[in-house]
Amino acid sequence: MAESTDDNQEISAITSENNQSIIDEDEEVKHFRKVIGAFLYYKILARNRIRRAFYSYSRLSEAYKRLVPKYETYLSQLLKCIDQNDLLIRQILSGCEHLFNNYSMPSSFNNMNHMSTEQDSLPPPSGVTSMDMDKVKTTIKQFVRDWSKDGEQERLVCYAPIIDEVKRRFPIIPTTNEDGTINNLSSIQILVPGAGLGRLSWEFARLGYACQGNEVSLYMLIASHFVLNKCAQINTHTIHPWILNFCNNVTSEDQLRGVQFPDVNTATLPPNSRFSMSAGDFLQVYNESNDWDCVTTCFFIDTAHNIIEYVERLWKILKPGGVWINFGPLLYHFEDIPNEISFELSYADLRTVILSYGFQIEVETLPIRAGYIKNERSMLHYEYDCVYFVAVKPKDRNDL
């Protein structure tokens, strides 16, 4: 686990070394460049949508146009917000090539720097799909959930009970070092798979626990590296997460509004704290038996192709007496994706599987209503009735 300090050195040595033997290096390079290409294409994609709105407005009769005289001004403001998002994206990408085996930045990074309005209709870079662009838009919104004041309520609903449970089960008892200083660090090791932009993992490290976040999405990893390592001041960046949401807006200003982040100084971890982020698929990266004191899964277990594999692996990697804390729904991510294996269980059946492996469920609460990157000002809200449980691997069990 990479160590961190409080002097704003890189706190997460994101590498893919754990799964080098599984993914061909050429494929990794190709994927890295595709992700960069998708981020860079965001501006063109967004401007295309605004061009469509301009065109639709132009087709209105003059009588209709007089009813909404400020509409073109509003669209022009959206274009400015897109430019601001694009500048932030380029800040996020700047220097990220060193994160994964020193891959070189694709030439498109420079070629797209001076894109003119006439070039807005360019097709996406080779290999970039609509699904990739959805991932870019989701990553932009993830800054709101994990690192802004706007996302505080979502974090209170799902992160707070997990953190409180960890603090209750693994209290940090300060000790005195040989030099007389107080040591508030814990030897308890916590794993957070599906870490996203890293807020929950960072909160554990801030409290003094040894924590590693794991994330398979390169979109999330690049964005998390930026916020964790290059945002040492509070609310220094503004992002416009809702500009491509044309439906269910109460006012045009709600669509235009910016969100500031981060709401904390991410460089303020305790001296000598242990915090890192690992890149790769959870099942490929983590296979060491009896390795972790605690694993927390928040909006994660439904990312499995086969959720039983997750339960089995969690049982294996937890130490005897180890704790698995879960919060989230069962929105199986591969359920409607063609040519992808997806095995779905109801929560009742999943609970039976968890008990069958030997876990003891000591805390269980459902349903708990929770949103996910929800736009509070939208006329449409998606919420989940989530399950929260705490499952313990008994101290006398280390089989499987």
Side-chain angles (χ1 to χ4, degrees):
M1 185 176 296
E3 293 189 354
S4 67
T5 67
D6 61 346
D7 59 1
N8 205 30
Q9 294 178 356
E10 287 198 2
I11 61 176
S12 53
I14 304 176
T15 67
S16 55
E17 60 187 3
N18 289 308
N19 62 339
Q20 280 292 304
S21 61
I22 299 170
I23 302 176
D24 182 85
E25 187 172 344
D26 289 341
E27 289 301 313
E28 283 199 16
V29 174
K30 187 183 299 183
H31 179 62
F32 174 78
R33 292 182 174 176
K34 184 182 80 164
V35 170
I36 300 300
F39 271 119
L40 293 173
Y41 190 69
Y42 167 83
K43 178 179 179 179
I44 298 174
L45 177 83
R47 289 180 68 92
N48 280 342
R49 178 63 184 89
I50 309 305
R51 284 163 61 96
R52 203 175 101 203
F54 269 115
Y55 176 76
S56 296
Y57 179 79
S58 72
R59 303 291 292 175
L60 297 179
S61 68
E62 291 302 319
Y64 287 169
K65 287 179 181 179
R66 284 194 292 272
L67 296 175
V68 281
K70 297 181 180 180
Y71 193 78
E72 286 186 306
T73 300
Y74 143 70
L75 293 181
S76 297
Q77 289 174 320
L78 283 175
L79 289 175
K80 291 180 180 178
C81 292
I82 291 169
D83 289 341
Q84 291 173 17
N85 279 1
D86 179 66
L87 287 174
L88 179 59
I89 285 173
R90 292 173 188 279
Q91 282 185 267
I92 293 169
L93 297 180
S94 179
C96 74
E97 67 271 15
H98 78 281
L99 295 178
F100 305 92
N101 297 336
N102 296 311
Y103 298 158
S104 61
M105 191 68 73
S107 58
S108 56
F109 185 86
N110 293 320
N111 293 342
M112 289 186 176
N113 259 333
H114 306 291
M115 198 66 68
S116 68
T117 305
E118 288 72 24
Q119 293 171 297
D120 284 349
S121 59
L122 283 176
S126 176
V128 173
T129 66
S130 59
M131 185 177 295
D132 295 316
M133 298 313 302
D134 286 341
K135 291 177 181 178
V136 172
K137 289 182 279 188
T138 298
T139 301
I140 288 173
K141 293 175 183 177
Q142 198 76 21
F143 282 106
V144 180
R145 174 179 170 84
D146 260 13
W147 295 105
S148 79
K149 183 71 174 176
D150 292 56
E152 184 176 34
Q153 185 56 42
E154 279 193 18
R155 296 195 299 272
L156 284 173
V157 172
C158 60
Y159 293 172
I162 294 173
I163 293 170
D164 289 345
E165 187 69 25
V166 168
K167 290 164 67 177
R168 186 178 72 82
R169 289 179 178 266
F170 305 104
I172 296 177
I173 302 174
T175 59
T176 303
N177 298 320
E178 292 181 0
D179 60 1
T181 59
I182 302 299
N183 177 21
N184 289 310
L185 298 181
S186 172
S187 61
I188 295 298
Q189 296 191 85
I190 302 173
L191 174 64
V192 183
L197 296 199
R199 181 61 179 263
L200 181 58
S201 310
W202 183 88
E203 290 289 353
F204 285 132
R206 182 184 64 81
L207 291 170
Y209 297 99
C211 185
Q212 183 169 87
N214 165 246
E215 179 57 54
V216 69
S217 168
L218 197 50
Y219 298 90
M220 297 288 186
L221 285 164
I222 289 172
S224 68
H225 180 265
F226 173 76
V227 74
L228 291 170
N229 293 293
K230 299 183 180 182
C231 295
Q233 294 182 340
I234 295 175
N235 290 335
T236 53
H237 299 285
T238 300
I239 198 160
H240 301 272
W242 318 115
I243 52 177
L244 295 182
N245 293 18
F246 281 83
C247 298
N248 294 303
N249 294 310
V250 176
T251 71
S252 298
E253 287 70 25
D254 291 340
Q255 185 180 4
L256 290 161
R257 72 184 178 98
V259 174
Q260 292 184 312
F261 75 92
D263 62 331
V264 291
N265 180 349
T266 59
T268 55
L269 291 181
N272 302 315
S273 60
R274 290 180 294 164
F275 175 37
S276 64
M277 293 283 285
S278 74
D281 182 271
F282 167 67
L283 292 174
Q284 296 175 356
V285 175
Y286 298 97
N287 197 35
E288 191 72 27
S289 299
N290 308 322
D291 201 29
W292 296 90
D293 298 291
C294 180
V295 181
T296 68
T297 54
C298 186
F299 280 80
F300 172 72
I301 58 174
D302 52 5
T303 65
H305 288 275
N306 175 0
I307 198 168
I308 296 177
E309 288 186 303
Y310 275 12
V311 177
E312 182 178 54
R313 186 60 51 86
L314 287 163
W315 174 268
K316 179 178 182 178
I317 66 176
L318 277 168
K319 298 175 182 178
V323 180
W324 169 23
I325 306 172
N326 176 77
F327 186 102
L330 291 175
L331 179 69
Y332 290 102
H333 287 210
F334 297 99
E335 185 268 335
D336 59 353
I337 298 180
N339 305 316
E340 290 283 358
I341 294 173
S342 182
F343 177 63
E344 304 90 23
L345 289 178
S346 68
Y347 176 65
D349 288 338
L350 174 61
R351 190 181 191 278
T352 299
V353 169
I354 292 170
L355 295 174
S356 297
Y357 270 88
F359 280 109
Q360 296 175 351
I361 297 178
E362 297 188 355
V363 180
E364 186 176 33
T365 307
L366 73 158
I368 301 176
R369 185 66 56 89
Y372 193 87
I373 54 176
K374 183 171 68 173
N375 180 1
E376 289 291 346
R377 300 190 191 179
S378 173
M379 299 168 71
L380 174 65
H381 292 164
Y382 289 105
E383 292 186 316
Y384 301 93
D385 282 339
C386 297
V387 59
Y388 170 75
F389 64 75
V390 180
V392 176
K393 179 177 178 178
K395 289 184 178 179
D396 60 349
R397 297 289 300 274
N398 60 4
D399 53 334
L400 295 180

